């Protein structure tokens, strides 16, 4: 396991921790690959009953790493498509993992971080956490994570948050369904242990089938998800190399307002 992901076994639970606290556990190619591998290992291990996903430090995940974004801004449309497909595979694997998954949301989650939370079966967060799907402010859209976020919070809330890009707090996240429970930071670990206690009381085969049942009845199918992921990767790749996307990314990286903001 690389340093970007800490993997620890605590009894029958695999604890996976995003480990880039100096940059708020932001995504780059290495973290995406490492987390994809860690999830595959946990899924294949019959001794693992559940997976807990968390972040090291004060944030869960700030989304895309700035250097990674800078590289993608100058990459070709094909390179951007391949990059997006790797992130899409991570989200899809987490969504359809055969073991129960618990998001331990220890702090802020933005962009792809929100996607990780949405893909987990259970999500418990601290009351100080902030969330955002702010891609439109860069001239982009939350394409890769969109199926999972829409499934988690519903179409109506997703439409609003996708087009405003606004920051919202843990209370709103709970109200719209992104979080199942909100607790003070000092009570987070106790709340996670409570969920793990409940999970441990169920039969593992029944649990796996119950998860598949819920996903299937809800219209989530792995093959269809892969097709949607491919289409969404095409979309975000096209937007990243578009004039608006290039301008928005450049403005963000240069810490200035884009031209579409009034007064810029």
């Amino acid at each position: 396991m690389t340093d970007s992901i800490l993997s620890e076994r605590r009894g029958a639970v695999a604890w996976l921790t995003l480990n880039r606290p100096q940059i708020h556990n932001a995504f780059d190619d290495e973290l995406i690959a490492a987390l994809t591998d860690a999830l595959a290992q946990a899924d294949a291990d019959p001794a693992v009953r559940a997976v807990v996903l968390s972040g090291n430090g004060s944030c869960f995940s700030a989304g895309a790493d700035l250097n990674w974004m800078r590289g993608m801004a100058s990459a070709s449309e094909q390179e951007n498509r391949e990059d997006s497909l790797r992130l899409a595979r991570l989200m899809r694997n987490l969504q359809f993992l055969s073991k129960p998954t618990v998001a331990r949301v220890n702090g802020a989650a933005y962009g792809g971080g929100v996607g990780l939370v949405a893909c987990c079966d259970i999500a418990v967060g601290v009351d100080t956490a902030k969330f955002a799907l702010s891609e439109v402010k860069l001239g982009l859209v939350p394409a890769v994570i969109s199926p999972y976020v829409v499934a988690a919070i519903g179409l109506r809330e997703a439409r609003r948050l996708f087009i405003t890009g606004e920051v919202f707090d843990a209370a709103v996240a709970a109200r719209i369904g992104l979080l199942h429970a909100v607790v003070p930071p000092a009570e987070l670990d106790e709340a996670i242990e409570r969920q793990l206690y409940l999970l441990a009381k169920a039969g593992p085969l029944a649990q796996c089938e119950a998860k598949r049942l819920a996903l299937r009845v809800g219209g989530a199918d792995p093959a269809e998800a892969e097709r949607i992921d491919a289409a969404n990767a095409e979309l975000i790749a096209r937007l990243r190399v578009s004039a608006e996307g290039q301008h928005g990314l450049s403005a963000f990286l240069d810490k200035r307002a884009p031209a579409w903001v009034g007064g810029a």
Side-chain angles (χ1 to χ4, degrees):
M1 199 60 56
T2 64
D3 289 341
S4 62
I5 297 291
L6 298 179
S7 180
E8 179 186 2
R9 280 287 298 278
R10 302 184 192 175
V13 180
W15 288 69
L16 305 180
T17 304
L18 310 180
N19 187 40
R20 306 182 80 206
Q22 70 281 8
I23 52 171
H24 310 297
N25 300 317
F27 287 36
D28 66 358
D29 288 336
E30 181 181 311
L31 185 145
I32 290 169
L35 184 53
T36 301
D37 289 345
L39 289 170
Q41 290 176 28
D43 207 27
D45 188 344
V48 172
R49 289 288 311 276
V51 175
V52 174
L53 181 61
S54 191
N56 188 9
S58 60
C59 287
F60 181 76
S61 175
D65 172 78
L66 289 181
N67 288 327
W68 184 44
M69 291 177 65
R70 188 171 286 110
M72 288 301 98
S74 61
S76 68
E77 185 170 347
Q78 177 61 30
E79 290 170 326
N80 271 284
R81 184 182 303 109
E82 292 169 356
D83 171 79
S84 297
L85 285 172
R86 286 189 287 270
L87 180 59
R89 179 182 171 225
L90 166 60
M91 298 291 170
R92 188 170 67 250
N93 289 358
L94 179 57
Q95 168 86 340
F96 292 101
L97 206 77
S98 67
K99 315 291 176 69
T101 53
V102 181
R104 177 186 178 274
V105 186
N106 58 300
Y110 298 103
V114 175
L116 291 177
V117 175
C119 287
C120 287
D121 301 314
I122 301 168
V124 180
V126 295
D127 55 13
T128 54
K130 301 292 184 183
F131 304 85
L133 296 155
S134 55
E135 287 84 351
V136 286
K137 295 179 180 179
L138 281 65
L140 304 174
V141 296
V144 168
I145 65 173
S146 61
Y148 314 108
V149 175
V150 172
I153 70 175
L155 178 58
R156 186 67 168 166
E157 292 291 351
R159 286 166 61 182
R160 177 175 68 90
L161 294 171
F162 281 13
I163 64 176
T164 65
E166 67 191 79
V167 176
F168 56 100
D169 62 21
V172 171
R175 178 179 63 77
I176 66 178
L178 182 62
L179 294 178
H180 295 103
V182 175
V183 297
E187 299 176 16
L188 179 59
D189 287 332
E190 181 182 351
I192 296 298
E193 289 300 330
R194 172 63 177 166
Q195 295 300 318
L196 294 175
Y197 170 78
L198 294 172
L199 290 172
K201 295 173 75 68
L205 177 60
Q207 223 162 34
C208 176
E209 292 298 340
K211 179 172 177 173
R212 288 174 178 167
L213 172 65
L215 288 167
R216 184 172 66 252
V217 171
D221 172 75
E224 177 64 8
E226 187 170 4
R227 186 195 67 76
I228 293 171
D229 285 345
N232 285 338
E234 293 278 354
L235 170 61
I236 191 60
R238 174 168 55 81
L239 289 178
R240 281 181 184 171
V241 300
S242 71
E244 183 169 291
Q246 288 284 298
H247 173 71
L249 282 167
S250 295
F252 176 75
L253 294 169
D254 294 341
K255 298 182 179 180
R256 55 181 170 82
W260 55 76
V261 174

